[in-house]
Amino acid sequence: MIKQAVRSNAKFSAKELTSLNNLLLKQKKKILSVYENSPNKKFTGISKITQCSSGQSNPTFFIEDEEQGIKIVLRKQPKGKLLKGAHQLDREYFIQKELYHHGIPVPKMIFYCEDVSIIGTTFYCMECIEGRIMNQPEGSPAEKLEQYEEAIRVLAALHKVPLTSLKGFGSVQSSYYPRQIHTWSKQYQLSLVGQDANPEMQYLIEWLQDKDNIPTHNAQLFHDKLPEASVVHGDFKFDNLIFHPTENRILAIIDWELSTIGHPLADVGYLGMFLHLPPQMKTILKADDMDFMNEKELTTLYLKDIMETHYENHMTIPMFYFYIVFSMLRLCSIMQGVYARSVKGNASNQQRGKLIGTMVQPLAKQAVTIIKKEEKAEDAKHGGISFKFSNRFRSLKRRFEAFFKEHIVANDAEFENQYESHGKKWRVIPLIESLKKKAKEEGLWNLFLPSVSGLKNVEYAVLAEIMGRYPWSPEVFNCNAPDTGNMEILERFGTAEQKKAYLEPLLLGDIRSCFSMTEPAVASSDALNIRCSITQTSDGKFYIVNGRKHYITGAGHPNCAFTIVMGKTSTKRSPHRQQSMVIVPMNAPGLNVVRPLDVFGTFDEPYGHCEILFDNVKVPSSNLLLGEGRGFEMAQARLGPGRIHHCMRAIGMSERALTLGCQRVLKRKAFGDVLAKNPAVQQVLAYSRIEINQARLLVLKTAYLIDTHGVSKARSEVAEIKVAIPQMAQRVIDRMMQLHGAYGLSTHSGLPQMFMGARSLRLADGPDEVHLRTVARVELAKYMRKRSKL
């Protein structure tokens, strides 16, 4: 007589017991293979079947021959109608059998039976591992940490298993997360038994289904040591781990129903999810707070184990919260499925199944809370104000930051080396060219141009600030001035012929350009003073350009192919209709780059700020932009967004200067203590932080106004930022130079170059006085209108 200690809805019939016993007797050699260290053991048949308390999805049983001391595990499909693709025991059996040979701690497989006539469903038998199964780490804080570290070590080992040995188990696909999100969302919907989807689940599903919220894994960020695809357990948690009875060592990973080939961070996020359980779940699961572990420690432990000697202390997993909320979706769907089976009467434990169903809404709500908290933290970086950044932009920004960290920050010293050997000789810097290719391949290219990138001004402003930290970086992304302004002009006002000849190669980064406006003979801050002439020939086929320009940025670059010249086509029209713009190739006869001009004694090679002589330079009439007398119109359209770019880069530069200052005062001592404790130094740092934050918000507000109301409605704000931001940057950088002492005056500190950049900006787009005049006029106009009404 076989004893059954199973739930009423899972009892085996007499016929099933007989069939199962007969089959096991036939398979006794395989059963005894798990007892190879006990050669005298025999299997005489089943004496007892006990159902495991766990195993809500696939019912699991202990099969015992008590007389012989033999105990194995049987795992079967649940009875009743099953959801498509669920409860695939053949996959469970296959993956464990293969992993056993790779040294991963799993039970030894005995046999798989697909004959449903035996016990009504397919099933398989495996070795029974005796040990401890815990809902969460147990014991002292030190023991809990040791158990957690062991779990992460085993998980990393699993992710290192080569996929070549697992053919047939699954394919490596880049669409892992979209497919998984679709599958689990559908599973949830199908498991609703007379219920409506709760709002939190709907929000979570919709957020995850937005592909812009899915991180793009950058393998190079982890030196290609974090696999793009691996075996994924799918339900990696403590109650699916069997620990040694007395040691904090894992003997087996169990419950492989959800295993597949996927992205390894899905498992890490699933483990991390248990750091964020809502109070209701903790009560039901009798779980304590995981105060001995946090996300940063978890990801650090995993990266150390998976990357081994390639791990570096600064490494983090970008947007780790995505993997956590993705895991919450999966668990919510699983729990909803268990609940549905309990309602239909085919769950392993009806009462517990219904209890599990009560945890779906709290967990979904927790996921939504995490998402909103992270998005709020993102907004906080911009002063706590939400500028309604799109999910697409958030995704792009994450990729941009990862690229910037890996290729710009890490290569700054190499850039300086190549600048000395190539740049100062007016030659192209090889590093820039190689990184341009990588940025283009990653889709981080022409980000400043809305028609290409799809970004709003307020979104690009955020990226411009990041670029400003390393002034050489914008060219890597083809976002460098004056090319950006020229591309904007050509894109908005150029003819099809002009775009093909000049815009397309600029967009590709194959050439560079410059903008010729400032003249040595007149005060060029008043564009009405421009004397350079652009005269059409009598036959109307050509324009002749005559004049002298100076401080023309970029004219010295070897790849500078053309310049856009601002000059006069008429002296008789109204003052603001006399100026025009014309495209002049740099190799045109009569165009002579006279000399590079210095700024504070430096020439900014290989770009340069040059003096150019136009001596009867002849260009086709088709090179005229928009039409005669339209120069002012184009200049104003060019300067609005361009000033946003300059100002945000200046803020990035100021942030870097402040960082250098803080680092300096934390490690330098004077008068018996570190400089950071000196009240005067603290004031310097505090004022700098305040001013940077103020400046950033003013620029973002301006960008927002341009996006929502157009440049004309932000006329005062555009002028305001051109005064406020360079002056702020100049003050902050000057303070940081002071904190560095004599070293702050050395170009090796990087600060003098920043100071020169900030000071130059106060003239580059017009002097402060011109912008102050604009602000005052706009302000006075408000009161003049009021007065006229009186």
Side-chain angles (χ1 to χ4, degrees), residues 133-178:
I133 297 180
M134 306 174 281
N135 283 331
Q136 62 183 54
E138 297 177 353
S140 67
E143 288 175 314
K144 289 179 179 179
L145 181 59
E146 190 177 350
Q147 292 159 13
Y148 212 95
E149 290 175 342
E150 169 70 355
I152 294 170
R153 182 194 67 79
V154 169
L155 182 60
L158 171 65
H159 292 162
K160 292 178 188 177
V161 172
L163 298 181
T164 51
S165 62
L166 301 172
K167 291 178 181 177
F169 185 64
S171 58
V172 178
Q173 297 185 27
S174 59
S175 59
Y176 171 74
Y177 287 111

Side-chain angles (χ1 to χ4, degrees), residues 305-332:
D305 281 331
I306 197 80
M307 297 180 67
E308 298 174 348
T309 58
H310 298 276
Y311 172 76
E312 297 169 10
N313 287 330
H314 64 83
M315 288 180 173
T316 57
I317 298 175
M319 204 182 169
F320 185 64
Y321 75 94
F322 165 83
Y323 306 102
I324 289 174
V325 299
F326 164 72
S327 299
M328 288 178 169
L329 168 71
R330 293 174 58 244
L331 185 54
C332 283

Side-chain angles (χ1 to χ4, degrees), residues 474-763:
E475 188 178 0
V476 170
F477 307 99
N478 213 36
C479 294
N480 43 285
D483 294 328
T484 49
N486 288 346
M487 284 188 268
E488 286 170 336
I489 285 178
L490 289 166
E491 196 258 346
R492 290 186 62 179
F493 306 114
T495 64
E497 180 185 357
Q498 290 167 348
K499 288 178 180 178
K500 185 170 182 60
Y502 301 105
L503 178 60
E504 288 184 14
L506 267 182
L507 288 172
L508 291 171
D510 294 338
I511 63 171
R512 291 208 56 172
S513 63
C514 58
F515 186 79
S516 299
M517 180 171 172
T518 305
E519 298 181 5
V522 296
S524 303
S525 57
D526 181 356
L528 297 178
N529 289 337
I530 296 297
R531 294 289 177 264
C532 178
S533 64
I534 303 172
T535 308
Q536 192 168 36
T537 58
S538 57
D539 59 9
K541 293 182 179 180
F542 299 95
Y543 280 100
I544 307 298
V545 183
N546 279 289
R548 187 181 295 270
K549 303 284 186 178
H550 76 160
Y551 283 98
I552 307 307
T553 300
H557 196 280
N559 292 342
C560 185
F562 71 91
T563 182
I564 293 179
V565 181
M566 180 85 154
K568 283 191 175 180
T569 47
S570 170
T571 57
K572 297 179 180 178
R573 290 186 177 185
S574 61
H576 291 89
R577 297 285 291 176
Q578 296 179 9
Q579 293 76 16
S580 302
M581 291 187 188
V582 66
I583 302 169
V584 180
M586 293 299 286
N587 60 1
L591 188 157
N592 298 303
V593 178
V594 179
R595 57 175 176 151
L597 301 169
D598 74 290
V599 176
F600 289 108
T602 66
F603 292 97
D604 196 19
E605 309 96 322
Y607 310 98
H609 311 282
C610 300
E611 181 179 344
I612 302 178
L613 176 64
F614 298 89
D615 186 8
N616 288 316
V617 178
K618 182 188 288 188
V619 295
S621 292
S622 59
N623 278 26
L624 190 73
L625 283 159
L626 193 58
E628 291 191 5
R630 308 290 292 275
F632 258 96
E633 179 184 342
M634 288 184 283
Q636 289 306 307
R638 177 183 190 271
L639 288 177
R643 285 170 178 170
I644 298 289
H645 308 169
H646 279 313
C647 288
M648 287 305 286
R649 285 195 292 266
I651 290 169
M653 187 166 63
S654 304
E655 282 284 6
R656 188 173 174 219
L658 180 56
T659 296
L660 293 173
C662 289
Q663 291 171 343
R664 181 80 172 184
V665 300
L666 283 168
K667 62 185 178 183
R668 303 289 283 197
K669 286 187 175 182
F671 306 106
D673 212 339
V674 290
L675 288 173
K677 292 185 179 181
N678 186 300
V681 170
Q682 291 175 351
Q683 281 196 4
V684 164
L685 299 177
Y687 275 121
S688 297
R689 167 50 60 211
I690 291 167
E691 291 173 16
I692 290 172
N693 287 352
Q694 289 174 330
R696 178 184 294 109
L697 285 175
L698 180 57
V699 182
L700 289 176
K701 176 197 172 185
T702 305
Y704 176 77
L705 287 174
I706 292 175
D707 286 332
T708 54
H709 300 290
V711 177
S712 63
K713 298 295 183 182
R715 186 167 169 241
S716 177
E717 285 78 8
V718 168
E720 289 168 33
I721 63 175
K722 284 308 298 174
V723 175
I725 279 63
Q727 287 190 14
M728 175 280 298
Q730 191 178 330
R731 289 194 301 272
V732 169
I733 296 164
D734 180 68
R735 292 171 188 148
M736 298 310 114
M737 292 171 74
Q738 192 73 11
L739 292 181
H740 277 72
Y743 182 64
L745 303 176
S746 167
T747 56
H748 292 293
S749 72
L751 292 167
Q753 297 93 311
M754 295 184 202
F755 186 87
M756 285 188 284
R759 187 62 186 85
S760 299
L761 270 184
R762 295 181 60 193
L763 293 167

Side-chain angles (χ1 to χ4, degrees), residues 181-207:
I181 292 164
H182 172 77
T183 298
W184 288 109
S185 301
K186 188 175 180 181
Q187 293 267 65
Y188 170 74
Q189 298 290 345
L190 291 173
S191 298
L192 291 171
V193 281
Q195 304 165 283
D196 293 326
N198 69 64
E200 288 83 5
M201 274 299 288
Q202 280 303 118
Y203 182 97
L204 176 58
I205 289 170
E206 289 171 10
W207 189 87

Side-chain angles (χ1 to χ4, degrees), residues 101-121:
H101 297 299
H102 282 278
I104 302 300
V106 292
K108 185 176 181 180
M109 297 297 102
I110 299 175
F111 70 90
Y112 174 74
C113 178
E114 56 186 355
D115 184 354
V116 297
S117 69
I118 304 296
I119 58 172
T121 69

